[in-house]
């Protein structure tokens, strides 16, 4: 192993104007610009070893994480990502081949995924139809739709997408914490006709007992509760599991304290026999979480029953080692590290507010 001391730390405020196309829009966040405080740690190691880390945000507030990380403080304004740089052959072919017997399945068929890219709340019906049609053509069988702003509009959009994908495909719903407990139960009672597998984040992510009440109320409707992307430590997950508050556990590769904290949650999920279906998307979340889901399957759960990982088809072109999707499945990464490194040109162009992209946009807004 190469050893070296940290010699330099740089932080960039990188923002992508996703709000212009309605990408990422939901009932809680209507116009997000997917962004990141991007950290590069350089060392004095002879081979030039570097580490890379991100804190994913929705644009506003990135400067808070940026300033904290410049001072060496941990980010908590968005999704803190502590794991930086090469961490060995995580997910690489060599490590898979010495794992627990399921490596061949991962290498040939991958880890099942679902798509959220078709049904952001800000998309027009025409856009939704077109993207759904393309997803079906590409082999997707699992779809998630954003809900929570208006129940009549939710019913209309859910009917549209259910009619397009047919009764045999899997449909999930995501309210992004929009409801209180009674409202969540009432709302989902109206959406139950569309046969969702789960309702994601139906209420505040910190309301353990609220999730438990919703979970119990939805059992007769055959609808599960999925949550976890906003949970910041293993203790919250422990309480959700002990309270029978969820049927699908959603880790987030940046919200939790990097790899170690995520692994402890995977182990608890195994103990409680609750399937892990990670949250992903944003800036680099798919790239990071692919390592965790493959580790979970190979070394912890040894099961794909009721398991799938979110996929959002945005911003992967800005990463040096982008995630690979084949037949609606995550294929194992073959490069060392945590897939966090972004392309230098992308970082340069999208730095806020002085990068080329933002100079043009801010100038246009002034005019």
């Amino acid at each position: 192993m190469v050893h070296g001391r940290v010699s330099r730390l740089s932080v960039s405020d990188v923002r992508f104007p996703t709000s212009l196309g309605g990408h990422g829009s939901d009932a809680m966040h209507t116009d997000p610009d997917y962004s990141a405080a991007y950290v590069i740690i350089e060392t004095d190691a002879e081979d030039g070893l570097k580490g890379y880390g991100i804190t994913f945000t929705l644009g506003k507030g990135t400067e808070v994480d940026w300033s904290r990380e410049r001072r060496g403080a941990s980010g908590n304004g968005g999704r803190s990502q502590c794991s930086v740089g090469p961490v060995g052959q995580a997910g690489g072919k060599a490590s898979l081949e010495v794992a627990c017997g399921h490596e061949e399945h991962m290498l040939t068929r991958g880890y099942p995924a679902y798509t959220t890219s078709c049904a952001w709340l800000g998309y027009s019906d025409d856009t939704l139809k077109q993207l759904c049609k393309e997803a079906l053509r590409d082999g997707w069988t699992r779809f998630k739709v954003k809900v929570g702003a208006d129940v009549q509009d939710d019913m209309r959009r859910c009917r549209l997408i259910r009619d397009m994908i047919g009764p045999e495909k899997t449909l999930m719903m995501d309210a992004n914490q929009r409801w209180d407990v009674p409202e969540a139960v009432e709302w989902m009672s109206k959406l139950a006709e569309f046969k969702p597998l789960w309702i994601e984040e139906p209420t505040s992510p910190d309301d353990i007992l609220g999730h438990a009440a919703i979970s119990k109320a939805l059992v007769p409707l055959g609808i599960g509760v999925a949550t976890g992307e906003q949970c910041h430590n293993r203790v919250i997950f422990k309480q959700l599991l002990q309270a029978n508050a969820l049927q699908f556990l959603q880790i987030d590769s940046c919200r939790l304290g990097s790899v170690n904290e995520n692994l402890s949650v995977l182990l608890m999920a195994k103990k409680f026999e609750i399937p892990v279906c990670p949250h992903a998307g944003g800036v680099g979340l798919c790239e990071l979480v692919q390592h965790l889901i493959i580790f979970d399957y190979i070394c912890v759960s040894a099961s794909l029953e009721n398991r799938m990982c979110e996929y959002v088809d945005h911003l992967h072109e800005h990463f040096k080692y982008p995630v690979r999707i084949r037949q609606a499945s995550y294929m194992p990464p073959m490069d060392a590290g945590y897939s966090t490194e972004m392309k230098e040109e992308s970082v340069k162009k999208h730095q806020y507010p002085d990068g080329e992209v933002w100079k043009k946009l801010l100038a246009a807004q002034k005019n």
Side-chain angles (χ1 to χ4, degrees):
M1 178 179 293
V2 178
H3 295 280
R5 294 179 298 178
V6 173
S7 59
R8 185 172 180 269
L9 181 148
S10 61
V11 186
S12 301
D13 183 346
V14 184
R15 306 190 189 188
F16 300 95
T18 51
S19 61
L20 298 179
H23 311 313
S25 53
D26 57 51
M28 187 67 76
H29 316 98
T30 57
D31 60 345
D33 287 321
Y34 278 4
S35 307
Y38 179 61
V39 182
I40 301 177
I41 295 177
E42 299 180 26
T43 73
D44 60 6
E46 293 181 0
D47 66 349
L49 181 70
K50 294 181 181 180
Y52 306 88
I54 58 175
T55 296
F56 167 53
T57 78
L58 299 180
K60 302 181 179 91
T62 310
E63 65 275 8
V64 176
D65 285 326
W66 183 87
S67 62
R68 288 178 60 86
E69 290 176 23
R70 282 182 63 89
R71 300 196 309 270
S74 60
N76 63 0
R79 304 171 184 273
S80 61
Q81 171 50 45
C82 314
S83 177
V84 293
V87 292
Q89 297 290 337
K93 184 173 181 180
S95 62
L96 288 176
E97 288 180 341
V98 298
C100 303
H102 299 283
E103 65 276 4
E104 187 63 28
H105 180 99
M106 287 292 100
L107 289 167
T108 58
R109 299 177 61 184
Y111 195 98
Y114 70 87
T115 178
T116 306
S117 302
C118 301
W120 295 114
L121 204 58
Y123 281 174
S124 67
D125 286 359
D126 287 343
T127 299
L128 189 155
K129 289 177 183 177
Q130 180 61 35
L131 293 175
C132 191
K133 198 176 297 183
E134 292 174 3
L136 288 167
R137 183 195 64 206
D138 292 339
W140 290 93
T141 60
R142 308 171 189 90
F143 299 79
K144 189 167 76 180
V145 57
K146 296 290 184 174
V147 298
D150 178 273
V151 68
Q152 295 303 320
D153 190 57
D154 284 349
M155 293 182 71
R156 183 186 61 78
R157 293 173 70 252
C158 288
R159 181 171 290 110
L160 189 157
I161 194 168
R162 175 53 87 185
D163 287 346
M164 288 197 69
I165 68 176
E168 75 284 357
K169 303 288 194 304
T170 303
L171 181 65
M172 290 81 72
M173 299 178 183
D174 186 354
N176 289 95
Q177 316 157 42
R178 184 64 184 263
W179 305 319
D180 59 26
V181 174
E183 187 179 23
V185 175
E186 180 183 2
W187 208 295
M188 289 310 299
S189 297
K190 295 177 181 178
L191 297 181
E193 65 175 282
F194 306 107
K195 305 297 181 184
L197 176 65
W198 75 52
I199 177 60
E200 183 173 332
E201 287 199 310
T203 193
S204 168
D206 299 324
D207 189 354
I208 311 299
L209 298 182
H211 275 86
I214 295 168
S215 175
K216 184 177 180 180
L218 296 184
V219 168
L221 300 177
I223 302 172
V225 168
T227 195
E229 71 175 84
Q230 299 289 341
C231 296
H232 56 277
N233 63 44
R234 63 186 182 274
V235 176
I236 299 294
F237 280 106
K238 175 178 73 76
Q239 294 172 346
L240 285 166
L241 290 165
Q242 289 176 325
N244 296 316
L246 47 71
Q247 286 71 48
F248 302 91
L249 186 149
Q250 297 176 306
I251 59 171
D252 182 283
S253 55
C254 279
R255 174 65 68 181
L256 283 172
S258 189
V259 175
N260 289 348
E261 195 82 355
N262 269 295
L263 296 187
S264 66
V265 175
L266 295 180
L267 292 169
M268 286 192 292
K270 170 63 176 175
K271 176 179 173 61
F272 282 86
E273 294 298 326
I274 295 294
V276 176
C277 300
H279 169 256
V283 180
L285 301 186
C286 297
E287 276 69 24
L288 274 60
V289 81
Q290 62 181 332
H291 299 279
L292 299 173
I293 56 175
I294 293 173
F295 175 85
D296 181 42
Y297 175 61
I298 297 292
C299 297
V300 182
S301 70
S303 172
L304 293 177
E305 184 178 359
N306 287 328
R307 295 169 186 270
M308 63 192 101
C309 184
E310 185 171 21
Y311 176 72
V312 177
D313 191 17
H314 304 312
L315 307 178
H316 304 291
E317 67 273 17
H318 300 293
F319 283 81
K320 189 172 180 180
Y321 306 104
V323 68
R324 297 182 301 131
I325 297 291
R326 190 172 73 199
Q327 286 298 306
S329 295
Y330 279 84
M331 301 309 296
M334 295 299 174
D335 299 287
Y338 207 29
S339 308
T340 319
E341 185 178 358
M342 298 180 72
K343 294 178 180 177
E344 290 184 16
E345 187 64 20
S346 290
V347 173
K348 183 179 179 181
K349 283 186 175 181
H350 292 87
Q351 284 202 73
Y352 185 88
D354 298 321
E356 176 186 332
V357 169
W358 286 104
K359 277 186 177 180
K360 290 181 180 178
L361 285 172
L362 294 173
Q365 290 174 9
K366 288 181 181 179
N367 295 332

